[in-house]
């Protein structure tokens, strides 16, 4: 029989993911800091809760999809948090992108109470969340993973148990390094090609047919070409993720020079007040340095 499921954090990602669980027939209890998305899902059949604690009192499995490590710490271990309401045998699945170190600490804390915990961050973006095609990388015990797998199947397509607690977040940090560096690579290529006189749409079309083809260009090409930086994935969140990658690298004695540069570029966008824009806004820095907006010299 399907277990009762709770969902906390109904933003760009969480709301469509929660909706897939509802559509699959799970009894779903939801909570979010702001009320709007709670009411929306309640109108579609979910039960609204007044706190993370109440979610855990109603559901054996609680999923969190929150911005950053401190948010997950507060929601799981806080005064009115999930662990206050969770019973022995419960399971917490954190699908946010947070520090692997914090993920391990939270899993240890939950296990003291007989509650299982998986770190199961995702990639595939808002489109993947809406289409249930996310890639989900889970860290934790094999038993907890087996219990969570049917839920993952409603939200994602590529689902992998990558290792013990924290390892899902390690793989996600690797993913975020690649996406950030490729976004910057595509930005540089487009500014170079466009200022040198070629239509950027043509550049994307040609590159997409060869070794330079990348899913980043496929998914964000239209954003670049239209200068549409509606998120998507916010600059603030990607900056947070590169911070996680750099902190993890420091802990393990790994140098990530290019990650450091792009992290600083994302910081510059935040300082300009562009933190809530899509990460493809990275393009605007290279454009400014070149004094050229892509597509400007396209024939009229
Ligand atoms: P978002 O800002 O759209 O949503 C976060 C939600 O959490 C908001 O609805 C907010 O009200 C809620 N929230 C924050 N603090 C809370 C608290 N203490 N209690 C209850 N609710 C709280 O962010 P998002 O884009 O949905 O991202 C969520 C997570 O998923 C982040 O860790 C992000 O890095 C990761 N992620 C995002 C994407 C993407 O493309 N947007 C892709 C992969 C992973």
């Amino acid at each position: 029989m399907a277990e009762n499921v709770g969902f906390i954090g109904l933003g760009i990602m969480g709301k469509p993911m929660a909706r897939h669980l509802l559509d699959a027939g799970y009894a779903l209890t939801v909570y979010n800091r702001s009320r709007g998305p709670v009411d929306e899902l309640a109108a579609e059949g979910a039960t609204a809760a007044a706190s993370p604690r109440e979610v855990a009192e109603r559901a054996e499995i609680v999923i969190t999809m929150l911005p950053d490590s401190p948010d997950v710490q507060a929601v799981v271990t806080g005064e009115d948090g999930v662990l206050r309401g969770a019973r022995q045998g419960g399971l917490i699945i954190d699908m946010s992108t947070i520090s692997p170190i914090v993920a391990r600490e939270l899993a240890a804390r939950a296990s003291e109470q007989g509650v299982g915990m998986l770190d199961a961050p995702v990639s595939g973006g808002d489109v993947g969340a809406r289409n249930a095609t996310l890639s989900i990388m889970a860290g934790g015990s094999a038993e907890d993973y087996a219990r969570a797998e049917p839920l993952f199947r409603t939200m994602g397509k590529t689902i992998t148990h990558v290792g013990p607690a924290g390892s899902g977040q390690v793989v996600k940090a690797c993913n975020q390094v690649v996406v950030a560096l490729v976004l910057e690579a595509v930005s540089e290529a487009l500014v170079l090609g466009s200022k040198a006189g070629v239509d950027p749409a043509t550049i994307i079309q040609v590159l997409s047919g060869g070794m330079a083809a990348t899913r980043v260009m496929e998914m964000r090409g239209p954003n670049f070409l239209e200068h549409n930086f509606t998120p998507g994935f916010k600059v603030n969140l990607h900056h947070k993720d590169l911070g996680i990658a750099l902190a993890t690298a420091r802990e393990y004695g790994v140098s990530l020079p290019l990650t450091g540069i792009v992290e600083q570029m994302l910081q510059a966008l935040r300082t300009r007040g562009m933190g809530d824009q899509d990460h493809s806004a990275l393009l605007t820095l290279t454009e400014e340095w070149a004094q050229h907006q892509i597509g400007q010299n396209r024939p009229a």
Side-chain angles (χ1 to χ4, degrees):
M1 204 184 82
E3 300 182 270
N4 289 318
V5 178
F7 208 114
I8 302 171
L10 305 168
I12 290 179
M13 299 295 285
K15 191 168 70 173
M17 289 163 69
R19 200 168 262 144
H20 293 310
L21 290 164
L22 263 184
D23 291 346
Y26 285 98
L28 193 71
T29 302
V30 293
Y31 173 75
N32 191 68
R33 192 172 46 191
S34 55
R35 187 72 202 196
V38 173
D39 292 340
E40 218 178 301
L41 288 176
E44 296 171 28
T47 304
S51 67
R53 176 188 192 145
E54 193 188 325
V55 172
E57 284 166 353
R58 290 172 175 276
E60 295 94 42
I61 301 184
V62 177
I63 299 175
T64 50
M65 193 52 170
L66 299 159
D68 199 356
S69 305
D71 306 302
V72 180
Q73 282 169 317
V75 162
V76 173
T77 66
E79 184 81 342
D80 244 341
V82 173
L83 284 176
R84 293 292 175 105
R87 289 173 295 269
Q88 186 150 5
L91 176 64
I92 302 169
I93 308 172
D94 179 37
M95 303 189 76
S96 330
T97 305
I98 68 164
S99 148
I101 298 146
V102 173
R104 274 184 216 123
E105 285 167 4
L106 288 173
R109 178 87 180 267
S111 96
E112 287 167 11
Q113 228 178 282
V115 174
M117 186 154 184
L118 294 171
D119 49 293
V122 307
S123 69
D126 55 317
V127 177
R130 284 198 302 275
N131 297 344
T133 54
L134 290 170
S135 175
I136 302 174
M137 48 216 98
S141 77
E143 301 77 56
D144 289 341
Y145 176 77
R147 192 171 166 195
E149 204 185 358
L151 277 66
F152 292 154
R153 296 254 163 250
T154 71
M155 299 181 270
K157 209 165 67 175
T158 309
I159 294 144
T160 315
H161 183 207
V162 293
S167 48
Q169 296 295 354
V170 170
V171 177
K172 176 65 184 178
C174 299
N175 184 82
Q176 294 307 82
V177 165
V178 172
V179 173
L181 269 52
V182 173
L183 270 175
E184 176 53 18
V186 174
S187 297
E188 292 189 12
L190 291 179
V191 174
L192 170 68
S194 173
K195 194 169 184 186
V198 181
D199 182 350
T202 304
I203 298 170
I204 289 186
Q205 189 194 334
V206 174
L207 267 53
S208 299
M211 192 170 173
T214 146
R215 189 128 173 76
V216 168
M217 197 155 59
E218 186 187 321
M219 289 177 72
R220 291 298 187 257
N223 298 73
F224 286 134
L225 295 176
E226 292 157 23
H227 266 240
N228 174 5
F229 304 125
T230 309
F233 188 60
K234 291 172 195 159
V235 166
N236 280 335
L237 290 177
H238 213 149
H239 179 258
K240 170 216 33 150
D241 292 352
L242 295 192
I244 291 170
L246 291 169
T248 309
R250 177 178 283 243
E251 177 159 319
Y252 286 92
V254 178
S255 303
L256 303 179
L258 299 186
T259 303
I261 292 172
V262 180
E263 191 255 358
Q264 291 294 298
M265 294 175 76
L266 291 168
Q267 176 59 58
L269 289 177
R270 282 157 51 83
T271 305
R272 287 179 173 188
M274 295 170 78
D276 282 328
Q277 299 206 22
D278 189 70
H279 55 173
S280 50
L282 258 181
L283 172 75
T284 60
L285 290 178
T286 308
E287 285 185 329
E288 188 184 328
W289 296 335
Q291 292 293 291
H292 172 81
Q293 185 172 320
I294 64 166
Q296 264 175 0
N297 45 12
R298 213 179 306 177

